[in-house]
Amino acid sequence: MSNDRRYMERALALARHGTGWTTPNPLVGCVLVRDGAILAEGWHRRLGDLHAERAALQAVDFRAEGATAYVTLEPCCHHGRQPPCTEALLEAGVSRVVVAMVDPDERVSGRGIAQLRAAGVEVEVGLAEAEARRLNAAFVSARERGRPLVVLKAGVTLDGRIASADGESKWITGPAARARGHALRHALDAILVGANTLREDDPGLDTRLPDGRGSNAVPVVLDSGLSIRGDAKVLRAGARPVVFCATHAPERDLPADVIRVPHGPDGLDLGAVLAALQARGIQSVLVEGGARVHRSFLDAGLVDRIHLFVAPRVLVSGPGWVAGAGFPLANAPAFRLIETRIVGDDAELVMEA
Ligand code: AOF
Ligand code: ZN
């Protein structure tokens, strides 16, 4: 592996420390290197805090003559919550900048790179670009496609079931997999379930990390008939929920933001649901069931990533994690496996569209 690559991977690892705390801003890491040694490191810790570049430069009193900066995202050149990073890099005397990806934010998008080059800095773009885009898939989705990233999560048996025939579903996967599930809730902006899941499991949909911290994802409920129980846990557990119902659903007074969207033959218009979430600044949605909701997102071609937690046990009967009529093999939705790991007694499979 080249040194450039190693330093960029280090910058990516640093960026990940900010997971869950920077939204709607990106995860960014920065490593400053001179004479073959790391001078300083930094990352964007939390929304509103120093950008990664300044976080690293701060450690060397903003002086880094002749250094190379490895940054996971193009340095910004605009005045936002923070001043432009391009200025800080130039004032510090950095002579080379290696950037993993161009910033899709329209206030930057290539102008940061152009500004550095115009000032005589050598800039390379695209090292570890795929990893960087994956790291900020939500930030990128919201800006490039104008809709939030959709991540589907399910805990299933070896034969793909989410509950036994008598409806028991609580303990399919073990505590380590459930902890990973909470880490996903922390990492993403919203968590979405259908009304059936709400009725059957009454989940709170709040985030509980082992250290008691964790940023709560906005709970989102798909409930065509607006039939949610007034005492549902989700209405009180964490952040104020958003409940989507059909245009003609009855009026209800709920401690939630009720949004009406068109209802087609296959349920609520998911494009309209995602558009409304995007309009609220939500860049990523974790879809946590049930099987009919999973099916709707699959049918609409709106599943970007899947985290499937597989428990090594067999139930034989009981509902699967996707409902509805079977697909012919030739038309079956297929995904690309990008990660597998053992989580406690279970396996986690991560797939991308
Ligand atoms: C970050 N952290 O480390 C970098 C960012 O207007 P602001 O100050 O909130 O900045 C947001 C934009 O700055 C963001 O959309 C991205 O384009 C750019 N880079 N942002 O929050 C960072 N490097
Ligand atoms: Zn910046």
Side-chain angles (χ1 to χ4, degrees):
M1 190 190 296
S2 74
N3 284 339
D4 277 354
R5 178 92 200 178
R6 250 185 335 115
Y7 292 130
M8 189 58 86
E9 290 196 357
R10 175 70 190 154
L12 286 163
L14 293 168
R16 286 188 190 98
H17 292 317
T19 299
W21 299 114
T22 65
T23 186
N25 278 4
L27 297 169
V28 187
C30 175
V31 175
L32 294 171
V33 174
R34 191 166 54 199
D35 302 329
I38 292 182
L39 271 188
E41 301 181 327
W43 68 92
H44 186 54
R45 288 170 183 269
R46 209 183 176 102
L47 182 66
D49 275 3
L50 290 182
H51 287 184
E53 300 89 327
R54 283 178 192 271
L57 286 167
Q58 192 177 40
V60 286
D61 283 333
F62 295 91
R63 295 221 312 267
E65 288 81 13
T68 296
Y70 296 84
V71 203
T72 60
L73 182 73
E74 172 183 8
C76 70
C77 53
H78 70 292
H79 286 268
R81 291 180 186 86
Q82 290 291 331
C85 292
T86 46
E87 278 177 13
L89 291 164
L90 291 173
E91 280 164 22
V94 168
S95 58
R96 179 172 172 247
V97 178
V98 183
V99 172
M101 62 178 281
V102 172
D103 187 349
D105 189 312
E106 59 185 18
R107 295 170 297 177
V108 186
S109 83
R111 281 189 288 274
I113 290 164
Q115 214 178 80
L116 291 170
R117 283 189 175 140
V121 174
E122 182 189 338
V123 184
E124 279 158 55
V125 185
L127 179 65
E129 180 170 4
E131 291 90 328
R133 287 181 63 87
R134 187 172 286 157
L135 173 74
N136 279 311
F139 176 80
V140 170
S141 178
R143 280 159 192 76
E144 289 186 354
R145 304 188 296 194
R147 71 155 173 88
L149 183 81
V150 177
V151 179
L152 196 150
K153 190 214 107 182
V156 306
T157 62
L158 275 184
D159 46 338
R161 302 181 195 278
I162 54 171
S164 62
D166 55 16
E168 192 58 50
S169 67
K170 274 267 184 290
W171 312 112
I172 299 241
T173 52
R178 281 200 297 281
R180 278 281 302 148
H182 279 282
L184 284 171
R185 289 183 182 183
H186 165 68
L188 303 187
D189 292 348
I191 167 172
L192 180 151
V193 298
N196 285 341
T197 299
L198 210 63
R199 198 171 311 116
E200 283 156 23
D201 303 346
D202 195 24
L205 301 184
D206 50 334
T207 302
R208 295 178 303 274
L209 294 184
D211 61 3
R213 303 189 318 153
S215 56
N216 272 322
V218 175
V220 176
V221 181
L222 299 187
D223 183 10
S224 306
L226 205 55
S227 62
I228 183 173
R229 289 175 52 136
D231 61 355
K233 254 194 219 149
V234 68
L235 294 174
R236 264 135 212 127
R240 184 178 170 91
V242 179
V243 179
F244 285 96
C245 64
T247 321
H248 299 298
E251 294 293 332
R252 298 259 319 263
D253 189 20
L254 292 166
D257 293 346
V258 174
I259 300 181
R260 293 167 188 274
V261 293
H263 191 283
D266 303 316
L268 294 175
D269 178 343
L270 296 180
V273 167
L274 293 181
L277 294 177
Q278 166 101 2
R280 300 170 78 89
I282 288 170
Q283 299 184 159
S284 56
V285 184
L286 184 64
V287 177
E288 281 206 32
R292 295 230 312 266
V293 171
H294 292 163
R295 177 58 181 260
S296 308
F297 275 94
L298 279 176
D299 283 346
L302 288 171
V303 179
D304 299 313
R305 210 202 300 158
I306 303 177
H307 288 253
L308 201 64
F309 295 90
V310 184
R313 51 211 314 209
V314 179
L315 274 168
V316 180
S317 66
W321 65 279
V322 187
F327 295 104
L329 191 53
N331 292 330
F335 292 84
R336 194 157 34 90
L337 205 48
I338 56 168
E339 279 169 43
T340 62
R341 63 174 74 86
I342 294 176
V343 182
D345 295 328
D346 305 309
E348 178 180 6
L349 310 182
V350 188
M351 289 151 271
E352 255 179 15

